[in-house]
Amino acid sequence: MSSGQHTLIFDNGVTDIADLVIGADGARSCIRSLVSSAMPQYCGVTIVEIQFIFVDDRHPEIAKLNQIRVYITLRAPENWIVESGIAFDQPEQARKDLLRLFADWDNSLLNFIHFCDANFIPRPLYTLPTNHRWETHPGVILLGDAAHLMSPFAGEGVNLAMLDATKLALAITNADDLKQAIHNYEQKIFPRAAKAAEESSSNLDLFISTGNAGKIAAEFFKKLMESGPPKDTEI
Ligand SMILES: Cc1cc2nc3c(=O)[nH]c(=O)nc-3n(C[C@H](O)[C@H](O)[C@H](O)COP(=O)(O)OP(=O)(O)OC[C@H]3O[C@@H](n4cnc5c(N)ncnc54)[C@H](O)[C@@H]3O)c2cc1C
């Protein structure tokens, strides 16, 4: 609508008019296309998520609150889930197929595949451009993965989404009009998201590489632990 308001039409037939539509609808955001033509691109890496629930019989009450989640990560074509022929919908067969795929890996690592719960979830990873930005659009903003989808190698996705929400609330509280609030919010989130996206992209190259990836990753985490919490936590 010319006023910057938007009419929302829900699947159940309800309609509403909103002053501000917040696109917090994740990687496959349908709100994103209202402000940006950027589309998520496959980043060349697919993970297979596996997990272990109730790993400790000695302390079942504590074990119940915890699970171990492991990502089997590999460079693969975008349609690898189908092309690989791995029967992800038949978990015990998928277990055998994955053990065959990684047959030359050490048994200590193969045990993750041997003993995990019978549920293998393949997830191709997608990313938006590292410096994804858009012009301020009245009445619509993006938040979280909808705004800055990146591979999980910076471990920042959830932090950014929560920080975005806080920044948006503050921008709305502190500005005189909504258009200015939206603009202020976007200028705040763009630089931090771009920094995390670049970090995520270079970490992906570092960790999922041929050669000495294991040693490089170990050194990376050692440095991370030694450096303490990030300094740029300003809201
Ligand atoms: C394998 C993997 C590992 C990760 N590991 C980490 C990690 O260790 N640390 C970290 O910080 N981040 C990690 N991330 C990233 C993190 O999960 C995301 O950055 C974060 O969940 C983004 O939050 P969000 O609220 O923007 O999106 P989401 O968590 O995707 O939430 C969006 C919500 O919108 C809903 N939705 C979508 N469309 C509609 C619609 N049309 N109508 C109604 N609802 C809709 C969805 O159902 C969903 O509930 C990981 C991601 C992946 C894929």
Side-chain angles (χ1 to χ4, degrees):
M1 295 163 78
S2 56
S3 59
Q5 292 178 312
H6 288 79
T7 304
L8 306 178
I9 305 168
F10 296 94
D11 278 353
N12 63 3
V14 172
T15 64
D16 208 346
I17 293 176
D19 293 327
L20 180 61
V21 177
I22 302 173
D25 50 349
R28 298 269 157 210
S29 168
C30 55
I31 304 295
R32 186 189 296 128
S33 63
L34 294 178
V35 299
S36 165
S37 59
M39 298 290 288
Q41 299 294 318
Y42 178 58
C43 61
V45 168
T46 292
I47 64 166
V48 180
E49 186 178 319
I50 57 176
Q51 62 182 19
F52 299 77
I53 302 178
F54 304 120
V55 288
D56 190 346
D57 292 337
R58 291 168 308 156
H59 305 290
E61 290 309 308
I62 293 171
K64 188 159 79 176
L65 300 175
N66 291 280
Q67 66 168 233
I68 297 173
R69 189 174 300 194
V70 176
Y71 298 129
I72 303 165
T73 310
L74 68 160
R75 288 200 184 269
E78 187 171 10
N79 56 355
W80 176 79
I81 295 173
V82 176
E83 248 180 28
S84 67
I86 295 177
F88 288 107
D89 56 342
Q90 299 165 46
E92 290 313 329
Q93 186 56 47
R95 194 189 302 277
K96 285 185 196 146
D97 293 343
L98 285 166
L99 285 168
R100 203 172 312 119
L101 182 66
F102 291 99
D104 57 340
W105 283 61
D106 191 81
N107 269 338
S108 58
L109 293 171
L110 292 182
N111 280 343
F112 283 108
I113 302 175
H114 266 300
F115 301 124
C116 69
D117 298 340
N119 189 20
F120 297 84
I121 309 167
R123 296 186 193 280
L125 298 179
Y126 288 83
T127 177
L128 283 167
T130 47
N131 198 21
H132 182 225
R133 288 167 182 244
W134 57 90
E135 296 294 325
T136 297
H137 190 103
V140 189
I141 51 114
L142 302 178
L143 181 160
D145 278 6
H148 38 64
L149 177 66
M150 62 190 74
S151 74
F153 290 88
E156 282 280 13
V158 173
N159 293 344
L160 288 173
M162 291 193 294
L163 204 59
D164 289 355
T166 310
K167 285 185 173 172
L168 177 61
L170 288 174
I172 292 174
T173 314
N174 293 336
D176 292 333
D177 72 84
L178 200 50
K179 188 163 182 217
Q180 190 59 46
I182 294 171
H183 181 73
N184 293 348
Y185 160 77
E186 288 166 344
Q187 296 315 306
K188 281 256 180 190
I189 69 160
F190 287 150
R192 189 180 166 120
K195 187 165 171 259
E198 272 159 30
E199 193 185 330
S200 167
S201 167
S202 65
N203 286 350
L204 181 148
D205 288 338
L206 200 66
F207 295 168
I208 317 299
S209 61
T210 51
N212 228 347
K215 185 159 180 267
I216 295 168
E219 275 164 16
F220 169 88
F221 283 114
K222 186 164 174 263
K223 218 181 280 173
L224 195 70
M225 300 301 285
E226 287 166 358
S227 67
K231 314 261 179 308
D232 56 342
T233 46
E234 162 270 340
I235 288 177

